[in-house]
Amino acid sequence: MSADLVIHNARILTMDDKHPRADAIALTGNRIRAVGGNAEILALAGSKTRLVDADGATVLPGFNEAHMHIFGGSVALGELSLFRVKGFDTLSKAVKDYAAANSDLPLLVAQTADYTILSETERVTRHHLDRIIADRPFMMVAPDRHTAWANTIALEKAGILHGRDVGVGNEIVMGEDGLANGELRESNAMRPVASMSVTGGREGLGVGTGGDPEHVTPEERAADIAVLKKGLAYCASLGITSFQNMDGNLYQLEMLDEIEKTDGLPVRVRMPYHMKNFMPLSDLEEKAAAWNARFDTDKLRCNFVKLFMDGVTEGETAVFVDDYAHKPGWKGEPLFSGEAFNAVATEANRLGLSVAVHAIGDGAVRMVLDGYDASINANGQKDMRNRIEHIEVVHPDDIPRFAETGTIASMQPTHPPGSAGLPLEPYLTYIGRERWPYAFAWKTLVDAGATIVFATDWPVSPLPPLSCIGDAMTRTPWADDMPDHRLSLHETLAAYTRTSAWVEYMEDRKGVLKPGYLADVVVLSGDIEAAAPAKIASLSPVLTICDGRITFEEGGGR
Ligand SMILES: [Zn+2]
């Protein structure tokens, strides 16, 4: 039988160390049939085989985005993006134009508003926003999604203008006049406003509470599925064949399952069970393990537990070992006690579930490593593939502990201040110069034996993997005496393909191009090895194949 599809005349980087390079690849059904030289592979083509001439361009295993948020990202595709918007006048024009073009929206939402969108020194308040738009509720969200700013009418309609206790680690920031000043820190503070949006804020629940929306009408659910499908198609257009959706709730799992059973998912999805600090430990066995059993295919699986240990540095909610440099006496407050987290990590691992924890400050990172140690002490050294998300700052004493505990570093080359259009301040001042060498220190961690995966945390940062790979390759130190954290192209690509498949326990079927593996392939527009690092982002996928099916084709739609 001839192959269904043959890509030839390519520079294939298989990411398989035994056979790292090839010229051609043949696919049959949803599997890779053969990888090798042009003549040998073309011999597998028949009259019905689709032939793709790659014209010397790079072919890779499809990208596996190890940390993103599909629902929020999909919704954000239709919201105002303030990426690279700077200064009051530019902001004002962008918001007014968006408001005029969207006269029916109950809440105007803008994403990726830098903490320094007005200036390096002036923090946004509701009064600034009222000067832009006062008669319609408006909220803009920081790139990290841990802080938002709302205008007065939005705060009033949400019932939080006079403040409200929103729980530890969350804050409705109050002004000197005794009213909310417009800044909302963390999800409990943002939710009253966000829930006024056209989607009712349903896209925020998986990451916010881990819970499911109540009273969803069939029309609302259909609208949410339509939004998700747009987001999934967007992923495919960027060469993504797998992603790890760091939101965890049943609502999203069931919608994705329905998409798989109707249209077929164009991207493989791994999702966690999201454990919050108010949930009883027994939920791990009763819910997380049950979801793991219920969603367990190569297209959709739920085999890990996600938690947040802290917030973000700019919101002063990240947890550090020592005080914030600009705020003596303040280290941040963890979202779990050490004891509580140790119990969660131990129980999840006992049930065979990996753990992934958001930890930004070095204090939070340390608590997570302590929890993984506790699990090893209780369960023995099992192959748990636990991970830490972000690791913006690591304490030097904790660097070797990644290798010792087998903890995966899940990091975002798009996040260091100064990268991907992000401002340097207030971040650099908040952490202080002594901590700079240990910030976003992925090379230091890799050199110390840590396993690393890369991702964008979309919609926190723009999703295109090639841009993110370019950011990793062009990272510049904040000062001449700071370490160079660039990894090689091969290491960077591995962090987007082979290693992220391993993290999912799927290294026996995807992440490399070799016979018998799942047919997840991306063909680029040029030769990535010949491209200067600064030009990698200008390459683009021309063909994406997931599970043997063409999910994106340049110029051809699907
Ligand atoms: Zn995230």
Side-chain angles (χ1 to χ4, degrees):
M1 201 180 81
S2 51
D4 292 329
L5 194 144
V6 163
I7 302 164
H8 63 108
N9 195 16
R11 289 175 202 276
I12 302 180
L13 300 177
T14 65
M15 306 311 292
D16 174 8
D17 288 340
K18 283 199 189 119
H19 304 280
R21 286 169 190 277
D23 309 317
I25 182 167
L27 312 178
T28 299
N30 74 336
R31 298 279 163 170
I32 296 168
R33 171 134 160 218
V35 186
N38 283 318
E40 160 199 357
I41 299 300
L42 282 168
L44 299 171
S47 57
K48 291 204 175 118
T49 303
R50 164 122 195 237
L51 286 180
V52 175
D53 182 346
D55 200 18
T58 301
V59 170
L60 292 164
F63 296 121
N64 183 332
E65 162 82 21
H67 181 135
M68 59 167 254
H69 303 273
I70 186 63
F71 200 3
S74 302
V75 170
L77 287 174
E79 293 173 340
L80 173 63
S81 170
L82 296 173
F83 187 57
R84 292 185 198 264
V85 168
K86 277 281 169 205
F88 181 85
D89 294 342
T90 322
L91 172 65
S92 176
K93 182 176 183 327
V95 174
K96 282 179 174 155
D97 288 352
Y98 182 74
N102 293 279
S103 55
D104 54 337
L105 290 179
L107 173 73
L108 298 161
V109 181
Q111 298 291 343
T112 46
D114 275 339
Y115 284 85
T116 52
I117 194 162
L118 295 180
S119 75
E120 300 267 297
T121 49
E122 198 179 3
R123 200 108 178 169
V124 177
T125 69
R126 65 187 167 92
H127 304 293
H128 295 110
L129 303 183
D130 289 348
R131 278 165 54 209
I132 294 170
I133 187 161
D135 58 344
R136 292 176 64 189
F138 169 68
M139 177 172 83
M140 63 182 199
V141 184
D144 57 39
R145 298 197 150 213
H146 287 256
T147 302
W149 299 268
N151 63 0
T152 304
I153 189 172
L155 297 165
E156 214 165 13
K157 287 200 166 183
I160 56 171
L161 184 59
H162 296 271
R164 183 188 294 174
D165 180 9
V166 281
V168 69
N170 297 265
E171 186 182 2
I172 293 168
V173 180
M174 302 303 287
E176 280 167 9
D177 57 2
L179 298 176
N181 84 354
E183 181 168 335
L184 306 170
R185 296 180 175 179
E186 304 297 336
S187 56
N188 289 356
M190 291 182 238
R191 197 168 313 111
V193 177
S195 61
M196 303 193 303
S197 80
V198 67
T199 61
R202 290 188 293 280
E203 73 280 11
L205 293 176
V207 69
T209 66
D212 295 314
E214 285 166 27
H215 320 298
V216 181
T217 67
E219 294 74 25
E220 287 169 340
R221 191 169 188 277
D224 289 347
I225 286 180
V227 163
L228 281 175
K229 284 184 183 172
K230 277 188 198 159
L232 292 165
Y234 179 64
C235 292
S237 78
L238 301 174
I240 295 169
T241 56
S242 294
F243 62 75
Q244 303 181 46
N245 182 28
M246 300 308 276
D247 282 20
N249 66 2
L250 202 53
Y251 185 58
Q252 285 186 59
L253 273 163
E254 287 181 338
M255 287 194 293
L256 291 163
D257 192 38
E258 185 177 322
I259 294 171
E260 170 62 6
K261 286 174 176 149
T262 50
D263 298 19
L265 283 168
V267 189
R268 303 181 195 281
V269 184
R270 182 189 193 213
M271 277 182 66
Y273 177 82
H274 186 169
M275 183 86 182
K276 302 296 276 190
N277 53 12
F278 52 79
M279 296 176 179
L281 202 59
S282 56
D283 275 6
L284 288 173
E285 186 148 13
E286 285 158 22
K287 294 183 181 169
W291 294 10
N292 180 26
R294 181 173 162 198
F295 303 98
D296 186 25
T297 70
D298 286 347
K299 282 294 199 66
L300 180 63
R301 50 177 46 205
C302 177
N303 61 349
F304 71 116
V305 177
K306 162 92 192 282
L307 302 89
F308 280 83
M309 184 55 85
D310 66 351
V312 293
T313 306
E314 293 88 338
E316 301 171 343
T317 48
V319 173
F320 288 93
V321 173
D322 299 308
D323 293 350
Y324 278 75
H326 71 297
K327 201 172 188 181
W330 178 245
K331 296 178 169 61
E333 275 180 297
L335 296 168
F336 282 81
S337 69
E339 195 184 357
F341 175 69
N342 293 358
V344 172
T346 302
E347 175 65 359
N349 286 174
R350 186 187 73 80
L351 293 165
L353 300 164
S354 310
V355 179
V357 186
H358 167 117
I360 296 264
D362 55 7
V365 170
R366 175 170 289 178
M367 290 178 72
V368 179
L369 289 166
D370 289 347
Y372 294 162
D373 266 333
S375 168
I376 291 168
N377 287 336
N379 297 311
Q381 184 74 267
K382 292 206 290 185
D383 181 19
M384 282 324 306
R385 306 189 191 184
N386 293 324
R387 42 196 275 189
I388 304 184
E389 309 305 308
H390 314 310
I391 319 171
E392 289 191 2
V393 180
V394 62
H395 192 282
D397 294 350
D398 293 326
I399 291 166
R401 298 179 67 198
F402 281 78
E404 285 159 18
T405 54
T407 300
I408 296 146
S410 167
M411 301 180 79
Q412 291 70 41
T414 44
H415 285 185
S419 299
L422 293 179
L424 293 171
E425 292 297 345
Y427 194 90
L428 294 193
T429 301
Y430 281 20
I431 67 167
R433 205 176 196 285
E434 278 178 27
R435 279 181 283 225
W436 289 7
Y438 307 104
F440 304 91
W442 47 78
K443 176 117 175 57
T444 307
L445 287 165
V446 168
D447 288 347
T451 301
I452 191 162
V453 287
F454 278 153
T456 63
D457 200 5
W458 185 60
V460 170
S461 298
L463 182 58
L466 288 162
S467 297
C468 186
I469 289 164
D471 289 326
M473 304 295 299
T474 55
R475 167 102 180 265
T476 41
W478 293 321
D480 290 344
D481 56 342
M482 292 294 150
D484 179 354
H485 282 301
R486 287 174 299 175
L487 299 175
S488 71
L489 177 64
H490 186 82
E491 287 171 310
T492 306
L493 293 175
Y496 245 110
T497 55
R498 185 176 65 197
T499 314
S500 26
W502 177 84
V503 164
E504 297 183 74
Y505 291 92
M506 293 179 84
E507 72 275 18
D508 60 346
R509 70 203 95 157
K510 70 177 192 183
V512 300
L513 301 178
K514 73 179 194 184
Y517 272 50
L518 292 165
D520 294 358
V521 184
V522 58
V523 182
L524 305 185
S525 58
D527 179 357
I528 198 169
E529 291 175 288
K535 296 281 182 198
I536 289 175
S538 58
L539 295 172
S540 57
V542 295
L543 186 71
T544 309
I545 298 163
C546 178
D547 211 39
R549 172 179 145 205
I550 293 175
T551 51
F552 169 74
E553 189 163 10
E554 191 192 41
R558 292 174 51 183

